[in-house]
Amino acid sequence: PGQGDPGLLEEALAVATEIGAIRLQRDAHERSAAASEAAGDHAAALRNLRAMIAIERRIFDEEADRRSRALTIRYEAEQAR
C-alpha cells in the first residue's frame, strides 16, 4: 500500500491537475512520495510531500472560506427577519 508505478503516478497527477481534481492531486502526491521513499529517492519524496501539504492547506482554506460565507449568509438572513 502507498507505493505504485512512478510513470502511472505521474500520469494520474497530470490527469488530476488537468481536470482540477485537487483531492486526487493530493492523493497522487502522497502515493508518489511513498513510492519515491521506497525507491530511496528521498529528494523526490520530500518534493511530493511538500506539494501534498500545500494542497492540503489549499483544501483547508477553501473549506474554511466556504463555511465562513455560509455563516455570513445565515447571519444576514436572520438579521433580515
Side-chain angles (χ1 to χ4, degrees), residues 7-61:
L8 189 56
L9 290 168
E10 285 298 318
E11 184 178 343
L13 179 57
V15 170
T17 301
E18 183 177 330
I19 65 173
I22 192 81
R23 285 174 173 76
L24 292 177
Q25 291 174 44
R26 177 196 56 204
D27 294 346
H29 279 296
E30 183 176 22
R31 287 188 172 94
S32 291
S36 295
E37 182 181 23
D41 188 350
H42 300 292
L46 181 58
R47 282 192 303 273
N48 279 291
L49 285 174
R50 286 181 174 162
M52 184 190 78
I53 290 168
I55 291 170
E56 286 182 340
R57 285 183 181 148
R58 178 177 163 193
I59 291 168
F60 177 84
D61 290 347

